[in-house]
Amino acid sequence: MANQNNNQNQQNNNSVTKDVKNTAGSAFETVHNALETTENVAMSAVDATKNAAKHLTGNADQNQARQ
């Protein structure tokens, strides 16, 4: 009977360990995806800023050429 209890406890512990690992894995994946999204948004903002600066510079060059 004691051996059966020990086996049951070991199975319960393995189940808890597996659940903790799965939860940690899911949490890591969520954070990883959030970081990738943040990186994409930041890179889009950089590209938009670069394009806006290029556009403004181009307009300034055109205006200066007209004068």
Side-chain angles (χ1 to χ4, degrees):
M1 188 69 159
N3 192 27
Q4 188 177 7
N5 284 341
N6 285 341
N7 287 341
Q8 184 63 40
N9 286 340
Q10 187 175 7
Q11 287 176 349
N12 289 343
N13 288 339
N14 288 341
S15 178
V16 169
T17 301
K18 187 176 180 180
D19 289 346
V20 168
K21 286 181 179 180
N22 287 340
T23 301
S26 294
F28 177 81
E29 188 67 25
T30 299
V31 170
H32 179 76
N33 289 340
L35 287 172
E36 282 186 347
T37 299
T38 301
E39 180 184 13
N40 289 339
V41 169
M43 291 298 102
S44 293
V46 168
D47 289 342
T49 302
K50 179 190 78 170
N51 291 338
K54 187 175 181 180
H55 181 71
L56 289 174
T57 303
N59 285 346
D61 291 344
Q62 287 175 4
N63 289 338
Q64 193 171 26
R66 288 183 194 149
Q67 291 176 357

